[in-house]
Coordinates of all heavy atoms in Angstrom, one line a residue:
Chain M
N14 N 111.6 16.9 56.0 CA 112.5 17.4 55.0 C 112.5 18.9 55.1 O 111.4 19.5 54.9 CB 112.0 16.9 53.6 CG 112.9 17.5 52.5 OD1 114.1 17.6 52.6 ND2 112.3 17.8 51.3
Q74 N 121.5 5.2 61.1 CA 121.9 4.5 62.3 C 121.9 5.4 63.6 O 121.5 4.9 64.6 CB 123.3 4.0 62.1 CG 123.2 2.7 61.1 CD 124.5 2.2 60.7 OE1 125.3 2.9 60.0 NE2 124.8 0.9 61.0
S97 N 110.2 4.8 53.5 CA 111.0 5.7 52.7 C 112.4 5.1 52.7 O 112.6 4.1 53.4 CB 111.0 7.1 53.3 OG 111.8 7.1 54.5
V98 N 113.3 5.7 51.9 CA 114.7 5.1 51.9 C 115.2 5.2 53.4 O 115.8 4.2 53.9 CB 115.5 6.0 51.0 CG1 117.0 5.6 51.1 CG2 115.1 5.7 49.5
T101 N 113.1 2.9 56.1 CA 113.3 1.5 55.9 C 114.5 1.0 56.5 O 114.6 0.0 57.2 CB 113.3 1.2 54.4 OG1 112.0 1.6 53.8 CG2 113.4 -0.3 54.1
D102 N 115.6 1.8 56.4 CA 116.9 1.4 57.0 C 116.8 1.6 58.5 O 117.4 0.8 59.3 CB 118.0 2.3 56.5 CG 118.5 1.8 55.1 OD1 118.0 0.7 54.7 OD2 119.3 2.5 54.5
G105 N 114.8 -1.5 59.9 CA 115.6 -2.7 59.9 C 116.6 -2.7 61.1 O 116.8 -3.8 61.7
A109 N 116.7 -5.3 64.6 CA 117.8 -6.1 65.1 C 118.2 -5.7 66.5 O 118.4 -6.6 67.4 CB 119.0 -6.0 64.2
R110 N 118.2 -4.4 66.8 CA 118.6 -3.9 68.1 C 117.7 -4.4 69.2 O 118.2 -4.8 70.3 CB 118.6 -2.4 68.1 CG 119.2 -1.7 69.3 CD 120.7 -1.8 69.4 NE 121.3 -1.2 68.2 CZ 121.6 0.1 68.2 NH1 121.4 0.9 69.2 NH2 122.2 0.7 67.1
D112 N 115.4 -6.9 68.8 CA 114.8 -8.2 68.5 C 113.3 -8.1 68.3 O 112.5 -8.9 68.9 CB 115.2 -9.3 69.5 CG 116.6 -9.9 69.2 OD1 117.0 -10.0 68.1 OD2 117.3 -10.1 70.2
A113 N 112.9 -7.1 67.6 CA 111.5 -6.7 67.5 C 111.0 -7.1 66.1 O 111.7 -6.8 65.1 CB 111.3 -5.2 67.7
G114 N 109.9 -7.8 66.0 CA 109.4 -8.2 64.7 C 109.0 -7.0 63.8 O 108.4 -6.1 64.3
W117 N 106.6 -5.3 56.8 CA 106.7 -4.2 55.9 C 105.7 -4.3 54.8 O 104.9 -5.2 54.7 CB 108.1 -4.2 55.3 CG 108.5 -5.4 54.6 CD1 108.3 -5.8 53.3 CD2 109.3 -6.5 55.1 NE1 108.9 -7.0 53.0 CE2 109.5 -7.5 54.1 CE3 109.8 -6.8 56.4 CZ2 110.2 -8.7 54.3 CZ3 110.5 -8.0 56.6 CH2 110.7 -8.9 55.6
R133 N 98.8 -6.6 54.1 CA 99.7 -6.3 53.0 C 99.4 -7.3 51.8 O 98.6 -8.3 52.0 CB 101.2 -6.5 53.4 CG 101.5 -7.9 53.8 CD 103.0 -8.1 53.9 NE 103.6 -8.1 52.6 CZ 104.9 -8.4 52.3 NH1 105.6 -8.9 53.2 NH2 105.3 -8.3 51.1
D138 N 101.2 -8.6 44.3 CA 99.7 -8.4 44.5 C 98.9 -9.6 44.1 O 97.7 -9.4 43.8 CB 99.3 -7.1 43.8 CG 99.6 -5.9 44.6 OD1 100.2 -6.1 45.7 OD2 99.4 -4.8 44.2
T139 N 99.4 -10.8 44.0 CA 98.6 -11.9 43.6 C 98.0 -12.5 44.9 O 97.1 -13.4 44.8 CB 99.4 -13.0 42.9 OG1 100.5 -13.4 43.8 CG2 99.9 -12.5 41.6
R141 N 96.8 -11.5 49.2 CA 96.7 -10.6 50.3 C 96.9 -11.3 51.6 O 96.5 -12.4 51.8 CB 95.4 -9.8 50.4 CG 95.3 -8.8 49.2 CD 93.8 -8.6 48.9 NE 93.2 -7.9 50.1 CZ 93.2 -6.6 50.2 NH1 93.8 -5.8 49.4 NH2 92.6 -6.0 51.2
A142 N 97.7 -10.7 52.5 CA 98.0 -11.4 53.8 C 97.6 -10.5 55.0 O 97.9 -9.3 54.9 CB 99.4 -11.8 53.8
D143 N 97.1 -11.1 56.0 CA 97.0 -10.5 57.3 C 98.2 -11.0 58.1 O 98.5 -12.2 58.2 CB 95.7 -10.9 58.1 CG 94.5 -10.2 57.6 OD1 94.6 -9.4 56.6 OD2 93.4 -10.4 58.2
V144 N 99.0 -10.0 58.7 CA 100.2 -10.4 59.4 C 100.1 -9.9 60.8 O 99.5 -8.9 61.1 CB 101.5 -9.9 58.6 CG1 101.6 -10.6 57.3 CG2 101.4 -8.4 58.4
G145 N 100.9 -10.5 61.7 CA 100.9 -10.1 63.1 C 102.2 -10.2 63.7 O 103.2 -10.5 63.0
W146 N 102.3 -10.0 65.0 CA 103.5 -10.0 65.7 C 103.4 -10.9 66.9 O 102.3 -11.0 67.5 CB 103.8 -8.6 66.3 CG 104.1 -7.6 65.2 CD1 105.4 -7.1 64.8 CD2 103.2 -6.8 64.4 NE1 105.3 -6.2 63.8 CE2 104.0 -6.0 63.5 CE3 101.8 -6.8 64.2 CZ2 103.4 -5.1 62.6 CZ3 101.3 -5.9 63.3 CH2 102.1 -5.1 62.5
T147 N 104.4 -11.6 67.3 CA 104.3 -12.6 68.4 C 104.9 -12.0 69.7 O 104.9 -12.6 70.8 CB 105.0 -13.9 68.1 OG1 106.4 -13.6 67.8 CG2 104.4 -14.6 66.9
S148 N 105.5 -10.8 69.7 CA 106.0 -10.2 70.9 C 106.0 -8.6 70.7 O 105.9 -8.2 69.6 CB 107.4 -10.7 71.2 OG 108.3 -10.3 70.2
F181 N 129.7 3.2 66.3 CA 129.6 2.7 64.9 C 128.6 3.5 64.1 O 128.6 3.5 62.8 CB 129.4 1.2 64.8 CG 128.0 0.7 65.2 CD1 127.0 0.6 64.2 CD2 127.7 0.4 66.5 CE1 125.7 0.2 64.6 CE2 126.5 0.0 66.9 CZ 125.5 -0.2 65.9
K184 N 130.1 6.2 61.9 CA 131.1 5.9 60.9 C 130.6 6.1 59.5 O 131.4 5.9 58.5 CB 131.5 4.4 61.1 CG 132.4 4.2 62.3 CD 133.0 2.8 62.3 CE 134.0 2.7 63.5 NZ 134.3 1.3 63.7
A185 N 129.4 6.4 59.3 CA 128.9 6.8 58.0 C 128.5 8.3 58.1 O 127.8 8.7 59.0 CB 127.6 6.0 57.6
V186 N 129.0 9.1 57.2 CA 128.8 10.6 57.2 C 128.3 11.1 55.9 O 128.7 10.5 54.8 CB 130.1 11.4 57.6 CG1 130.5 11.0 59.0 CG2 131.2 11.1 56.7
V188 N 128.3 13.4 52.9 CA 129.3 14.3 52.2 C 128.6 15.5 51.6 O 128.9 16.6 51.9 CB 130.1 13.5 51.1 CG1 131.1 14.5 50.4 CG2 130.8 12.3 51.6
D189 N 127.5 15.2 50.8 CA 126.7 16.3 50.3 C 125.4 15.7 49.8 O 125.2 14.5 49.6 CB 127.4 17.1 49.2 CG 127.9 16.3 48.1 OD1 127.2 15.3 47.7 OD2 129.0 16.5 47.6
Q190 N 124.4 16.6 49.7 CA 123.1 16.3 49.2 C 122.7 17.2 48.1 O 122.8 18.4 48.2 CB 122.0 16.5 50.4 CG 122.3 15.5 51.5 CD 121.3 15.8 52.6 OE1 121.6 16.6 53.5 NE2 120.1 15.2 52.6
A191 N 122.2 16.6 47.0 CA 121.8 17.3 45.8 C 120.3 17.2 45.7 O 119.7 16.2 45.8 CB 122.5 16.8 44.5
R192 N 119.7 18.4 45.4 CA 118.2 18.4 45.3 C 117.9 18.7 43.8 O 118.5 19.7 43.3 CB 117.6 19.4 46.2 CG 117.8 19.1 47.7 CD 117.0 17.9 48.1 NE 117.2 17.5 49.4 CZ 117.9 16.4 49.7 NH1 118.5 15.7 48.8 NH2 118.1 16.1 51.0
E193 N 117.0 18.0 43.2 CA 116.7 18.3 41.8 C 115.3 18.9 41.7 O 114.4 18.4 42.2 CB 116.8 17.0 41.0 CG 118.2 16.5 40.9 CD 118.4 15.4 39.8 OE1 117.7 15.4 38.8 OE2 119.3 14.5 40.0
R211 N 114.8 0.2 32.0 CA 116.2 -0.2 31.6 C 116.2 -1.0 30.3 O 117.1 -1.1 29.6 CB 116.8 -1.1 32.7 CG 117.4 -0.2 33.8 CD 118.9 -0.3 33.8 NE 119.3 -1.5 34.5 CZ 120.6 -1.7 34.9 NH1 121.5 -0.8 34.6 NH2 120.9 -2.8 35.6
R237 N 113.5 4.4 38.3 CA 114.7 4.8 39.1 C 116.0 4.3 38.4 O 117.0 5.0 38.4 CB 114.7 4.3 40.5 CG 115.7 5.0 41.4 CD 116.2 4.3 42.6 NE 116.7 3.0 42.1 CZ 116.9 2.0 42.9 NH1 116.5 2.0 44.2 NH2 117.4 0.9 42.5
D241 N 118.9 6.9 37.6 CA 120.3 6.6 38.3 C 121.4 6.5 37.2 O 122.5 6.9 37.4 CB 120.2 5.3 39.1 CG 119.8 5.6 40.5 OD1 119.7 6.7 40.9 OD2 119.6 4.6 41.3
Y247 N 115.4 13.2 36.7 CA 114.8 12.7 37.9 C 113.3 13.1 38.1 O 112.5 12.3 38.6 CB 115.6 13.2 39.1 CG 115.0 13.0 40.5 CD1 114.8 11.7 41.0 CD2 114.6 14.1 41.3 CE1 114.3 11.5 42.2 CE2 114.0 13.8 42.5 CZ 113.9 12.6 43.0 OH 113.4 12.3 44.2
Q250 N 110.6 10.5 37.2 CA 110.7 9.2 37.8 C 109.5 8.8 38.6 O 109.0 9.6 39.5 CB 111.9 9.1 38.7 CG 112.1 7.8 39.3 CD 113.2 7.7 40.3 OE1 114.3 8.3 40.0 NE2 113.0 7.2 41.5
T254 N 110.9 6.5 45.4 CA 111.7 7.7 45.5 C 111.4 8.7 44.4 O 112.2 9.6 44.2 CB 113.2 7.3 45.6 OG1 113.5 6.5 44.4 CG2 113.5 6.5 46.8
A271 N 109.9 -3.5 39.4 CA 110.4 -3.7 40.8 C 109.4 -3.0 41.8 O 108.7 -2.0 41.4 CB 111.8 -3.0 40.9
I272 N 109.4 -3.5 43.0 CA 108.5 -2.9 44.0 C 108.6 -1.4 44.1 O 107.6 -0.7 44.3 CB 108.7 -3.7 45.3 CG1 107.6 -3.3 46.3 CG2 110.0 -3.4 45.9 CD1 106.3 -3.9 46.0
S281 N 97.2 3.0 38.6 CA 96.8 3.4 37.2 C 95.6 2.6 36.8 O 95.4 1.5 37.1 CB 98.0 3.1 36.2 OG 99.1 3.8 36.6
P291 N 109.7 -12.8 29.9 CA 108.4 -13.3 30.2 C 108.2 -13.4 31.8 O 107.0 -13.5 32.2 CB 108.3 -14.7 29.6 CG 109.7 -15.1 29.3 CD 110.5 -13.9 29.1
N292 N 109.3 -13.4 32.5 CA 109.1 -13.5 34.0 C 109.1 -12.1 34.7 O 109.1 -12.0 35.9 CB 110.3 -14.3 34.6 CG 110.1 -15.8 34.3 OD1 109.0 -16.3 34.3 ND2 111.2 -16.4 34.1
D300 N 97.2 -5.2 32.8 CA 95.9 -5.6 32.2 C 96.2 -6.3 30.9 O 95.5 -7.2 30.5 CB 95.0 -4.4 32.0 CG 94.7 -3.7 33.3 OD1 93.9 -4.3 34.1 OD2 95.2 -2.7 33.6
L301 N 97.2 -5.7 30.2 CA 97.7 -6.4 28.9 C 99.2 -6.5 29.0 O 99.8 -5.4 29.0 CB 97.2 -5.6 27.7 CG 97.7 -6.1 26.3 CD1 97.2 -7.5 26.1 CD2 97.4 -5.2 25.2
G302 N 99.7 -7.7 29.0 CA 101.1 -7.9 29.0 C 101.6 -8.4 27.7 O 101.0 -9.4 27.2
V304 N 104.8 -10.0 25.7 CA 106.2 -10.5 25.8 C 106.7 -10.3 24.4 O 106.3 -10.9 23.4 CB 106.2 -12.0 26.2 CG1 107.7 -12.5 26.2 CG2 105.5 -12.2 27.5
I310 N 108.0 -3.6 18.4 CA 106.6 -3.4 18.6 C 106.2 -1.9 18.7 O 105.3 -1.4 18.1 CB 106.1 -4.1 19.9 CG1 106.3 -5.6 19.7 CG2 104.7 -3.8 20.2 CD1 106.2 -6.4 21.0
Chain K
P31 N 110.1 -15.7 39.5 CA 109.0 -14.8 39.4 C 108.0 -15.3 38.4 O 108.3 -16.1 37.5 CB 109.6 -13.5 38.9 CG 111.1 -13.6 39.0 CD 111.4 -15.1 39.0
Y55 N 118.3 -9.4 41.8 CA 118.9 -8.2 42.3 C 120.2 -8.5 43.0 O 121.1 -7.6 43.1 CB 117.9 -7.5 43.3 CG 116.7 -7.0 42.7 CD1 115.5 -7.6 42.9 CD2 116.7 -5.9 41.8 CE1 114.3 -7.2 42.3 CE2 115.5 -5.4 41.2 CZ 114.3 -6.1 41.4 OH 113.2 -5.7 40.8
V114 N 114.1 -10.9 62.1 CA 114.8 -11.0 63.3 C 115.7 -12.2 63.3 O 116.9 -12.2 63.6 CB 113.9 -11.0 64.5 CG1 114.6 -11.4 65.8 CG2 113.3 -9.6 64.7
Q136 N 119.3 -5.0 46.0 CA 118.4 -3.9 46.5 C 117.1 -4.5 47.1 O 116.4 -3.7 47.8 CB 118.1 -2.9 45.4 CG 117.1 -3.5 44.3 CD 116.7 -2.4 43.3 OE1 117.5 -1.4 43.1 NE2 115.6 -2.5 42.7
Q137 N 116.7 -5.7 46.8 CA 115.5 -6.3 47.5 C 115.5 -7.7 47.1 O 116.2 -8.2 46.2 CB 114.2 -5.6 47.0 CG 113.8 -6.0 45.6 CD 112.5 -5.4 45.1 OE1 112.5 -4.2 44.9 NE2 111.5 -6.2 44.8
A141 N 110.0 -11.7 48.7 CA 109.4 -11.1 49.9 C 109.2 -9.6 49.8 O 108.6 -8.9 50.6 CB 110.1 -11.4 51.2
G143 N 111.2 -7.5 50.4 CA 111.8 -6.8 51.6 C 113.1 -6.0 51.2 O 113.7 -6.3 50.2
A144 N 113.4 -5.0 52.0 CA 114.5 -4.2 51.7 C 115.1 -3.8 53.1 O 115.4 -2.6 53.3 CB 114.2 -3.0 50.8
W147 N 119.8 -5.7 55.2 CA 121.1 -5.2 55.4 C 121.2 -4.3 56.7 O 122.2 -4.3 57.4 CB 121.6 -4.4 54.2 CG 120.6 -3.4 53.7 CD1 120.3 -2.2 54.1 CD2 119.7 -3.6 52.6 NE1 119.4 -1.6 53.4 CE2 118.9 -2.4 52.4 CE3 119.5 -4.7 51.7 CZ2 118.0 -2.3 51.4 CZ3 118.5 -4.5 50.7 CH2 117.8 -3.3 50.6
A148 N 120.2 -3.5 56.9 CA 120.2 -2.6 58.1 C 120.2 -3.4 59.4 O 120.9 -3.0 60.3 CB 119.0 -1.6 58.0
A149 N 119.5 -4.5 59.4 CA 119.4 -5.4 60.6 C 120.8 -6.1 60.8 O 121.3 -6.1 61.9 CB 118.3 -6.4 60.4
D152 N 123.4 -3.6 62.0 CA 123.2 -3.3 63.4 C 123.8 -4.4 64.3 O 124.5 -4.2 65.3 CB 121.7 -3.1 63.8 CG 121.6 -2.4 65.1 OD1 121.9 -1.2 65.2 OD2 121.3 -3.1 66.1
R153 N 123.5 -5.7 63.9 CA 124.0 -6.8 64.7 C 125.6 -6.8 64.7 O 126.2 -7.2 65.7 CB 123.5 -8.1 64.2 CG 121.9 -8.2 64.4 CD 121.5 -9.6 64.4 NE 120.0 -9.8 64.4 CZ 119.3 -9.7 65.5 NH1 119.9 -9.5 66.7 NH2 118.0 -9.9 65.5
K155 N 127.5 -4.2 64.2 CA 128.0 -2.9 64.6 C 128.8 -2.3 63.5 O 130.0 -1.8 63.8 CB 128.7 -3.0 65.9 CG 127.8 -3.4 67.1 CD 128.5 -3.2 68.4 CE 127.6 -3.7 69.6 NZ 126.3 -3.1 69.7
M156 N 128.3 -2.3 62.3 CA 129.0 -1.7 61.2 C 128.2 -0.6 60.5 O 127.0 -0.7 60.6 CB 129.3 -2.8 60.1 CG 130.3 -3.9 60.4 SD 130.5 -5.0 59.0 CE 131.5 -6.2 59.7
P157 N 128.8 0.3 59.9 CA 128.0 1.3 59.2 C 127.3 0.7 58.0 O 127.8 -0.3 57.4 CB 129.1 2.4 58.7 CG 130.4 1.6 58.7 CD 130.3 0.6 59.8
V158 N 126.2 1.3 57.6 CA 125.4 0.7 56.5 C 125.0 1.9 55.5 O 124.7 3.0 56.0 CB 124.1 0.0 56.9 CG1 123.2 0.9 57.7 CG2 123.4 -0.7 55.8
S160 N 122.6 2.2 51.9 CA 121.7 1.4 51.0 C 121.4 2.2 49.7 O 121.8 3.4 49.5 CB 120.4 1.1 51.7 OG 119.7 2.3 51.9
Q161 N 120.8 1.5 48.7 CA 120.4 2.1 47.5 C 121.5 2.7 46.7 O 121.3 3.8 46.1 CB 119.3 3.2 47.7 CG 118.1 2.7 48.6 CD 117.1 2.0 47.8 OE1 117.2 1.8 46.6 NE2 116.1 1.5 48.5
R176 N 123.6 7.8 46.4 CA 122.4 7.1 46.3 C 121.2 8.0 46.2 O 121.3 9.2 46.6 CB 122.2 6.2 47.6 CG 122.3 7.0 48.9 CD 120.9 6.9 49.5 NE 120.9 7.4 50.8 CZ 120.5 6.7 51.9 NH1 120.3 5.4 51.8 NH2 120.4 7.2 53.0
Q177 N 120.1 7.5 45.7 CA 118.9 8.3 45.5 C 118.0 8.1 46.6 O 117.7 7.1 47.1 CB 118.2 7.9 44.2 CG 117.2 8.9 43.7 CD 116.3 8.4 42.6 OE1 115.3 7.8 42.8 NE2 116.8 8.7 41.4
E179 N 114.1 10.1 48.3 CA 112.9 10.8 47.8 C 113.1 12.2 47.4 O 112.3 12.9 46.7 CB 111.8 10.8 48.9 CG 111.2 9.5 49.2 CD 112.1 8.6 50.1 OE1 113.2 9.0 50.5 OE2 111.7 7.4 50.3
F180 N 114.3 12.8 47.8 CA 114.5 14.2 47.7 C 115.6 14.6 46.7 O 115.9 15.7 46.4 CB 114.8 14.9 49.0 CG 113.9 14.4 50.1 CD1 114.4 13.6 51.2 CD2 112.5 14.7 50.1 CE1 113.5 13.1 52.1 CE2 111.7 14.2 51.1 CZ 112.2 13.5 52.1
G181 N 116.3 13.6 46.2 CA 117.4 13.8 45.3 C 118.5 12.8 45.6 O 118.2 11.7 45.9
Y182 N 119.7 13.3 45.5 CA 120.9 12.4 45.7 C 121.7 12.8 46.9 O 121.9 13.9 47.2 CB 121.8 12.4 44.4 CG 121.2 11.6 43.3 CD1 120.3 12.2 42.4 CD2 121.4 10.3 43.2 CE1 119.7 11.5 41.3 CE2 120.8 9.5 42.1 CZ 120.0 10.2 41.2 OH 119.4 9.4 40.2
D183 N 122.1 11.7 47.6 CA 123.0 11.9 48.8 C 124.4 11.3 48.4 O 124.4 10.3 47.6 CB 122.5 11.0 50.0 CG 121.2 11.6 50.6 OD1 120.9 12.7 50.2 OD2 120.6 10.9 51.4
R184 N 125.4 11.9 48.9 CA 126.7 11.2 48.9 C 127.1 10.9 50.3 O 127.1 11.8 51.1 CB 127.8 12.0 48.1 CG 127.8 11.6 46.6 CD 129.1 12.0 45.9 NE 129.5 13.4 46.3 CZ 130.7 13.7 46.4 NH1 131.7 12.8 46.3 NH2 131.0 15.0 46.7
I185 N 127.4 9.6 50.6 CA 127.7 9.2 51.9 C 129.1 8.5 51.9 O 129.4 7.8 51.0 CB 126.6 8.3 52.4 CG1 125.3 9.0 52.5 CG2 127.0 7.7 53.8 CD1 124.1 8.1 52.7
R186 N 129.9 8.9 53.0 CA 131.2 8.2 53.1 C 131.2 7.4 54.4 O 130.5 7.7 55.4 CB 132.3 9.3 53.3 CG 133.7 8.8 53.1 CD 134.7 9.9 53.0 NE 134.5 10.9 54.1 CZ 134.5 12.2 54.0 NH1 134.6 12.7 52.8 NH2 134.4 13.0 55.0
A187 N 131.8 6.2 54.3 CA 131.8 5.3 55.5 C 133.1 4.6 55.5 O 133.8 4.4 54.5 CB 130.7 4.3 55.4
T188 N 133.5 4.2 56.7 CA 134.8 3.4 56.9 C 134.5 1.9 56.9 O 133.4 1.5 57.3 CB 135.5 3.9 58.2 OG1 134.5 3.8 59.3 CG2 136.0 5.3 58.1
A196 N 122.0 -0.6 44.3 CA 120.8 -0.5 43.4 C 121.1 -1.3 42.1 O 122.2 -1.5 41.8 CB 120.5 0.9 43.1
D197 N 120.0 -1.7 41.4 CA 120.3 -2.4 40.2 C 120.8 -1.5 39.0 O 121.1 -2.0 38.0 CB 119.0 -3.2 39.7 CG 117.8 -2.3 39.5 OD1 117.9 -1.1 39.8 OD2 116.8 -2.7 38.9
S198 N 120.8 -0.2 39.3 CA 121.4 0.7 38.3 C 122.9 0.8 38.4 O 123.6 1.4 37.6 CB 120.8 2.1 38.4 OG 121.0 2.5 39.8
N200 N 125.4 -1.4 38.1 CA 126.2 -2.1 37.0 C 125.3 -3.0 36.2 O 124.1 -3.2 36.5 CB 127.3 -2.9 37.7 CG 126.8 -3.9 38.7 OD1 125.7 -4.5 38.5 ND2 127.4 -4.0 39.9
R232 N 117.0 -19.4 68.2 CA 117.1 -18.1 67.7 C 116.7 -18.0 66.2 O 116.7 -17.0 65.6 CB 118.5 -17.6 67.8 CG 119.0 -17.3 69.3 CD 118.2 -16.2 69.9 NE 117.9 -15.0 69.1 CZ 118.3 -13.8 69.4 NH1 119.1 -13.5 70.5 NH2 118.0 -12.7 68.6
R239 N 109.6 -13.1 65.2 CA 108.7 -12.3 66.0 C 107.5 -11.8 65.2 O 106.7 -11.0 65.7 CB 109.5 -11.0 66.5 CG 110.7 -11.4 67.3 CD 110.3 -11.8 68.7 NE 111.5 -12.1 69.5 CZ 112.1 -13.3 69.6 NH1 111.6 -14.3 69.0 NH2 113.1 -13.5 70.4
T240 N 107.4 -12.3 64.0 CA 106.2 -12.0 63.2 C 105.6 -13.3 62.7 O 106.2 -14.3 62.7 CB 106.6 -11.1 61.9 OG1 107.6 -11.9 61.2 CG2 107.1 -9.8 62.3
T241 N 104.3 -13.1 62.3 CA 103.6 -14.3 61.8 C 102.6 -13.9 60.7 O 102.1 -12.8 60.7 CB 102.8 -14.9 63.1 OG1 102.0 -16.0 62.6 CG2 102.0 -13.9 63.8
I243 N 98.9 -14.5 59.6 CA 97.7 -14.9 60.2 C 96.8 -15.6 59.2 O 96.2 -16.7 59.5 CB 96.9 -13.7 60.9 CG1 97.8 -13.1 61.9 CG2 95.6 -14.1 61.5 CD1 97.4 -11.7 62.4
S244 N 96.6 -15.0 58.1 CA 95.7 -15.6 57.1 C 96.0 -15.0 55.7 O 96.6 -13.9 55.6 CB 94.2 -15.3 57.4 OG 94.0 -13.9 57.3
L245 N 95.6 -15.7 54.7 CA 95.8 -15.3 53.3 C 94.4 -15.2 52.6 O 93.5 -15.9 52.9 CB 96.6 -16.3 52.5 CG 98.0 -16.6 53.0 CD1 98.6 -17.8 52.3 CD2 98.9 -15.4 52.9
S246 N 94.3 -14.3 51.7 CA 93.1 -14.2 50.9 C 93.4 -13.8 49.5 O 94.5 -13.2 49.2 CB 92.1 -13.2 51.6 OG 92.7 -11.9 51.7
P248 N 93.5 -11.6 46.1 CA 93.5 -10.1 46.0 C 92.2 -9.7 45.2 O 91.5 -10.5 44.6 CB 94.7 -9.8 45.1 CG 94.8 -11.1 44.3 CD 94.3 -12.2 45.1
E249 N 91.9 -8.4 45.2 CA 90.9 -7.8 44.3 C 91.5 -8.0 42.9 O 92.6 -7.6 42.7 CB 90.7 -6.4 44.6 CG 90.3 -6.0 46.0 CD 91.0 -4.8 46.5 OE1 90.8 -3.7 46.1 OE2 91.9 -5.1 47.4
R251 N 92.3 -7.7 39.1 CA 92.3 -6.6 38.1 C 91.3 -6.9 37.0 O 91.0 -6.1 36.2 CB 93.7 -6.4 37.4 CG 94.7 -5.6 38.3 CD 95.9 -5.1 37.5 NE 95.6 -3.9 36.8 CZ 95.7 -2.7 37.3 NH1 95.9 -2.5 38.6 NH2 95.4 -1.6 36.5
Q255 N 95.3 -10.0 30.4 CA 95.8 -10.9 29.3 C 97.3 -10.8 29.2 O 97.8 -9.7 29.4 CB 95.2 -10.5 28.0 CG 93.8 -10.0 27.9 CD 93.5 -9.4 26.6 OE1 94.0 -9.7 25.5 NE2 92.6 -8.4 26.6
K256 N 97.9 -11.9 28.8 CA 99.3 -11.8 28.5 C 99.5 -12.5 27.2 O 99.1 -13.7 27.0 CB 100.1 -12.6 29.6 CG 101.6 -12.5 29.5 CD 102.2 -13.0 30.8 CE 103.7 -13.2 30.6 NZ 104.3 -13.9 31.7
I257 N 100.1 -11.8 26.2 CA 100.3 -12.4 24.9 C 101.8 -12.4 24.5 O 102.6 -11.6 25.1 CB 99.5 -11.6 23.8 CG1 100.0 -10.1 23.8 CG2 98.0 -11.8 24.1 CD1 99.4 -9.4 22.6
D259 N 104.5 -11.8 21.4 CA 104.5 -11.1 20.1 C 104.7 -12.1 19.0 O 105.8 -12.8 18.9 CB 105.5 -10.0 20.0 CG 105.5 -9.2 18.7 OD1 104.4 -9.3 18.1 OD2 106.5 -8.6 18.3

Side-chain angles (χ1 to χ4, degrees):
Chain M
N14 178 35
Q74 289 171 302
S97 69
V98 169
T101 300
D102 283 351
R110 185 75 59 88
D112 280 321
W117 57 86
R133 62 167 294 193
D138 281 354
T139 55
R141 289 157 65 85
D143 281 7
V144 294
W146 292 260
T147 56
S148 66
F181 71 91
K184 285 188 174 167
V186 295
V188 181
D189 53 43
Q190 294 176 270
R192 296 288 175 259
E193 294 194 30
R211 278 249 277 193
R237 197 204 56 198
D241 270 352
Y247 174 66
Q250 180 185 315
T254 53
I272 187 76
S281 303
N292 286 327
D300 299 289
L301 176 62
V304 182
I310 297 168
Chain K
Y55 297 105
V114 165
Q136 73 175 27
Q137 77 181 62
W147 50 78
D152 195 76
R153 294 200 187 278
K155 298 191 183 301
M156 289 182 189
V158 61
S160 65
Q161 307 279 358
R176 61 113 171 238
Q177 195 189 85
E179 290 78 4
F180 316 111
Y182 285 88
D183 291 347
R184 269 200 313 143
I185 298 171
R186 191 169 55 226
T188 49
D197 60 349
S198 54
N200 56 41
R232 290 299 315 243
R239 301 286 181 268
T240 54
T241 175
I243 299 164
S244 65
L245 298 173
S246 56
E249 302 132 72
R251 281 197 81 83
Q255 323 166 32
K256 187 171 167 188
I257 57 170
D259 184 23

